[in-house]
Amino acid sequence: MPTSPQNDPPPSRGGIWNRLWAPRLESKSDENAVPGSSGDVEIPADALAPIWDSATDTAHLHPVASPTEALEPSEIPIPSIPVPVCPACSATLDEKATYCLECGLVLPKEKMEPLPAAIRVEPAPDWHERYKPEQPLPSRPSVQRWLALARQEKSPKQVEVYYSLKRSAVTEQEIATPEDEMVNLQAPLKQLHSGSAPLPVSAESLHWPGAHWLHQMIQKLPAVMPAIREFTEEEAAEILVIDPPEGTNLWDAWEKSPTLVDRFRWLAEIAELLQKLHQHNVVMEALRPEMFVVNAGGHIVLADLTELLPIPVPSIAQMKGALSTAPELVLAPELADASVDLYPFGALVYALHHGRELTDLDFDAYGVPRSFVSIFPDGHPLFTQVVLKTFTRFVEQRYPTQEDDPDQTGFTELIAQLRAGERSAQALRYDAVGWSSTGLARATNEDAFAVFHASAYEQDRWGDQTMVILADGMGGCNAGEVASAMAINTIRRELCSRDPWKVFHDQDPSLPVVVEEEKILEMMHDAIETANSTIHTAAEQGDGTQIGMGCTCEVGFLMQGRLYMGHVGDSRTYLYREGAIRQLTQDQTLVNRLVSMGVINQEEAINHPRRHELDQALGSSHPVQIQLISEPLEVGDALIFCSDGLTTHVNDRSISEVLRNTASAEAAARRLVNLANALGGSDNVTVVVVRVA
């Protein structure tokens, strides 16, 4: 007896969809939404899962559900009560919502007509042979994007799967949404590219936004895109499986980055990635930090392909109106060119500085962000410049600066400035300040110090060098103040006539200098030894009032991220880093020598009656023993050069506490001098603080 058509069993199914996701239960006749769409394309459900080979028996994959078992996704009925949904991503909206929490679409002031909730055709997780779907990911209408597990590997690995229908199967029924229904135009755009005319859509763009088009884009730019695991086209379906790039999310990398060098490099690489996309007539509708990954090599990779948009923009494209989308791309997408990527790039930098996603509160009006300078008045000037020249509604205020620039997209100028920022960030900047006091028990000050600082910028070259010389005249001896002044003048004269110290005399600090560590330390040793001989000769040849004069000596030279140091006596140099302080120099005193020999211990040395008796000092008749030091520096470090007038009264813990609670070298130097005087001030006290920025 023949059966009626409505009682016919469902056809057998097979092919690529079955191999990836496995077949689904038959959809009801009124369930006709494209997988992952928001109703922008009306397609029969049968087109979503192509007819499989009739020889493939899949009856065992259709178990009968018991009354207590949960319904499969495709069995969920369409709600009978209309609910408001987002026209871009189909997410359910709150009645009072002003924008979509899922995709960021800004809603019009007028209430939207409630639409029936679209039912997503979601693959059942237990049917897949090779990939187990875990969760859906945001994507564009007409494209499903899933996070899945590759089953056939020893250690299951997460992959991303893009599934779409071929464009030839859906173009006839696609509907474009009017502009005034997509965004709330709180302020009109002052300037559009009115001189341009819409260009014809390329044949390649006809595949957008499907998996086929994404597959082509990855093949063109493999170095900055996720790796393709497999791509298959069969009948009406397109399926792209990619391996998500491994690395650190840009949010986390930016927060944890210790230097500006990394931040400038990452932004430059993002700008270069966008410029490469422009060469293939592709822009980004929006940019968010989570779309990028910093790989193990420290380079940027695009991890999220959902915001790629061909130019000219196809008429079927529905702009989401995200907060980082260029206003002109929403208002006149048919006139958009590659320059529209400047606005989302500025939004990306703006968000990274805030450390969070952008919200409506970050804007004074549609497309008008709040002033970056008012929020970050002390921000890096180059970051500020980039934001002001990109994240603005007014096209004429963006890059390029020159009207005759060959690259009118502005990205060549933007990249050049970011790369200049990367180079400048490699040159550490030094904030150096010194203070000296006679103390409370002395009438004269036998200490002396000198700080030499040279900073220059020329032709994208930054240079920053600092030299500190500190001397403490021996108390109780003749002319201690003469010896300390003579030591500083002699060392300055000896060093500043040679490279690389010529920057403090007659050389451009921005010029590149080849630094040889051994050579620098050798020249510093010779200069200190010359000062020793000069002081001794002056004492011998004087009128007798300077016999026996001498002093301690600290010479520090900071260049290209390193400290070069020469030390004689019991003045000290400390390095403060990440809350901890470390003494770099060794006290050249009789008591310290007794400690090193094991004659006394550290506790006995603290109150030893001869603790201030020097074992080495400039002015000696024989060569002095000079301690030479080479120490790498990091951003956030601080150096303290001081005479024993400080360390007699202020211990290392207190010095560290002062540096922790002061923001500048000026404040730290003053506070340490004042603290030494407050705790006794029995000697001259001199402090030079250098902060590394």
Side-chain angles (χ1 to χ4, degrees):
M1 177 179 177
T3 58
S4 60
Q6 61 267 29
N7 294 327
D8 287 341
S12 298
R13 298 180 174 181
I16 183 62
W17 181 249
N18 183 48
R19 293 199 303 271
L20 288 179
W21 297 116
R24 297 204 44 79
L25 297 176
E26 285 295 316
S27 299
K28 295 179 176 57
S29 60
D30 57 348
E31 293 173 355
N32 54 6
V34 174
S37 76
S38 57
D40 64 318
V41 180
E42 300 296 333
I43 269 297
D46 288 344
L48 302 181
I51 300 300
W52 317 124
D53 186 354
S54 58
T56 304
D57 183 11
T58 58
H60 66 285
L61 296 177
H62 296 265
V64 178
S66 66
T68 59
E69 291 177 341
L71 293 175
E72 296 292 341
S74 61
E75 297 177 300
I76 302 174
I78 297 177
S80 58
I81 302 176
V83 293
V85 296
C86 174
C89 71
S90 209
T92 302
L93 300 174
D94 185 86
E95 292 183 359
K96 299 181 180 180
T98 59
Y99 66 93
C100 176
L101 296 175
E102 290 293 329
C103 69
L105 174 66
V106 181
L107 304 174
K109 292 182 179 179
E110 297 77 22
K111 280 190 173 292
M112 301 176 55
E113 291 294 330
L115 299 174
I119 302 301
R120 294 182 181 273
V121 182
E122 300 178 352
D126 294 334
W127 291 356
H128 198 283
E129 297 177 4
R130 297 169 59 192
Y131 301 104
K132 177 181 179 182
E134 291 192 314
Q135 69 178 81
L137 299 174
S139 186
R140 284 190 174 274
S142 306
V143 180
Q144 265 200 1
R145 177 177 170 230
W146 280 83
L147 187 66
L149 279 180
R151 293 180 184 271
Q152 298 178 356
E153 297 186 2
K154 295 181 179 179
S155 300
K157 181 181 179 180
Q158 283 190 331
V159 297
E160 286 187 17
V161 179
Y162 289 80
Y163 167 78
S164 63
L165 298 180
K166 290 185 178 180
R167 304 309 301 164
S168 58
V170 296
T171 51
E172 295 180 358
Q173 302 186 47
E174 290 184 311
I175 303 172
T177 302
E179 292 175 359
D180 56 359
E181 293 183 8
M182 297 301 295
V183 295
N184 180 12
L185 304 181
Q186 300 177 21
L189 194 68
K190 296 296 183 183
Q191 176 180 341
L192 290 173
H193 299 283
S194 55
S196 305
L199 300 175
V201 178
S202 65
E204 190 176 70
S205 297
L206 294 176
H207 294 283
W208 179 87
H212 174 85
W213 186 82
L214 294 176
H215 176 249
Q216 288 182 318
M217 290 309 305
I218 295 176
Q219 286 185 314
K220 291 176 180 178
L221 300 172
V224 293
M225 295 280 196
I228 298 173
R229 177 174 283 250
E230 66 175 87
F231 173 71
T232 309
E233 292 181 280
E234 186 170 319
E235 298 183 4
E238 302 171 346
I239 298 176
L240 172 66
V241 184
I242 63 173
D243 289 316
E246 297 182 355
T248 306
N249 181 287
L250 183 57
W251 280 118
D252 297 331
W254 187 274
E255 181 180 356
K256 297 176 182 178
S257 174
T259 67
L260 285 174
V261 177
D262 292 333
R263 294 183 174 185
F264 277 119
R265 184 179 69 254
W266 295 332
L267 291 179
E269 289 183 356
I270 292 174
E272 290 167 350
L273 186 155
L274 296 176
Q275 194 174 52
K276 291 175 182 176
L277 289 173
H278 299 163
Q279 296 171 3
H280 299 285
N281 298 318
V282 175
V283 296
M284 302 291 288
E285 182 178 342
L287 285 177
R288 300 178 301 277
E290 63 268 20
M291 297 170 59
F292 300 95
V293 165
V294 180
N295 63 21
H299 298 290
I300 287 290
V301 179
L302 180 63
D304 185 346
L305 309 179
T306 59
E307 300 292 347
L308 296 176
L309 187 68
I311 49 173
V313 178
S315 59
I316 63 172
Q318 297 182 4
M319 299 298 104
K320 303 174 185 177
L323 294 175
S324 63
T325 301
E328 65 269 26
L329 183 59
V330 177
L331 299 178
E334 71 279 2
L335 300 178
D337 58 24
S339 65
V340 298
D341 274 342
L342 289 172
Y343 186 91
F345 184 89
L348 177 78
V349 180
Y350 195 99
L352 285 169
H353 275 71
H354 275 285
R356 57 168 173 77
E357 293 283 3
L358 299 181
T359 69
D360 288 337
L361 298 178
D362 295 315
F363 295 81
D364 294 327
Y366 173 67
V368 184
R370 292 182 57 199
S371 170
F372 185 80
V373 176
S374 65
I375 303 171
F376 303 102
D378 300 327
H380 193 290
L382 187 49
F383 282 135
T384 302
Q385 178 184 354
V386 167
V387 173
L388 295 178
K389 294 280 288 182
T390 55
F391 198 33
T392 172
R393 181 185 61 180
F394 304 107
V395 177
E396 67 273 13
Q397 295 179 1
R398 303 178 193 163
Y399 294 110
T401 305
Q402 301 296 329
E403 293 183 0
D404 58 351
D405 192 314
D407 181 11
Q408 283 298 301
T409 69
F411 272 84
T412 298
E413 182 180 352
L414 171 62
I415 292 169
Q417 292 197 348
L418 291 171
R419 289 300 185 186
E422 180 186 0
R423 291 191 297 271
S424 69
Q426 294 174 357
L428 299 182
R429 303 176 69 84
Y430 308 113
D431 174 21
V433 175
W435 277 93
S436 186
S437 170
T438 59
L440 305 182
R442 301 283 181 91
T444 59
N445 194 344
E446 296 182 339
D447 290 357
F449 76 91
V451 176
F452 305 89
H453 184 205
S455 182
Y457 171 81
E458 183 177 325
Q459 298 179 352
D460 292 341
R461 297 192 307 266
W462 282 94
D464 205 284
Q465 295 90 32
T466 295
M467 180 167 66
V468 175
I469 309 175
L470 184 147
D472 178 3
M474 291 190 294
C477 296
N478 294 328
E481 70 281 5
V482 176
S484 58
M486 192 174 294
I488 289 177
N489 290 330
T490 303
I491 294 171
R492 176 188 58 80
R493 184 178 62 252
E494 289 293 315
L495 292 180
C496 290
S497 61
R498 311 177 187 179
D499 282 330
W501 291 275
K502 284 183 179 179
V503 296
F504 305 119
H505 180 52
D506 61 355
Q507 182 172 292
D508 183 356
S510 68
L511 292 176
V513 177
V514 178
V515 177
E516 297 181 7
E517 180 177 322
E518 293 183 1
K519 186 66 175 178
I520 286 182
L521 293 177
E522 179 183 345
M523 288 188 290
M524 293 180 73
H525 181 280
D526 292 345
I528 296 173
E529 188 60 59
T530 300
N532 175 63
S533 301
T534 301
I535 295 172
H536 177 73
T537 301
E540 290 290 323
Q541 297 177 354
D543 56 6
T545 60
Q546 299 176 352
I547 295 178
M549 68 177 180
C551 64
T552 68
C553 180
E554 303 290 291
V555 182
F557 178 53
L558 292 79
M559 182 181 185
Q560 298 182 2
R562 182 169 287 271
L563 167 68
Y564 302 95
M565 182 82 200
H567 160 79
V568 176
D570 64 349
S571 295
R572 293 180 180 178
T573 298
Y574 291 92
L575 172 64
Y576 173 84
R577 176 177 295 167
E578 297 181 349
I581 194 169
R582 173 164 60 95
Q583 183 177 339
L584 299 179
T585 57
Q586 298 177 358
D587 294 345
Q588 294 177 330
T589 61
L590 173 62
V591 169
N592 198 44
R593 183 152 59 91
L594 294 176
V595 171
S596 63
M597 294 171 59
V599 177
I600 60 175
N601 57 35
Q602 288 287 354
E603 290 74 17
E604 294 173 328
I606 294 175
N607 297 314
H608 197 282
R610 301 179 65 183
R611 62 184 180 277
H612 294 299
E613 187 174 326
L614 293 177
D615 195 34
Q616 295 290 323
L618 298 188
S620 172
S621 59
H622 51 78
V624 290
Q625 297 178 7
I626 303 171
Q627 182 185 358
L628 298 174
I629 299 169
S630 176
E631 184 77 20
L633 300 175
E634 299 177 2
V635 174
D637 287 352
L639 292 164
I640 306 94
F641 304 86
C642 61
S643 63
D644 64 344
L646 175 70
T647 54
T648 297
H649 299 290
V650 183
N651 58 28
D652 294 358
R653 180 179 178 182
S654 297
I655 296 174
S656 179
E657 193 69 24
V658 168
L659 293 170
R660 185 180 300 111
N661 295 317
T662 52
S664 67
E666 173 76 25
R670 288 186 178 191
R671 191 171 297 184
L672 288 171
V673 170
N674 291 337
L675 185 58
N677 284 334
L679 295 177
S682 61
D683 196 359
N684 308 145
V685 54
T686 299
V687 178
V688 177
V689 177
V690 182
R691 286 192 177 273
V692 182

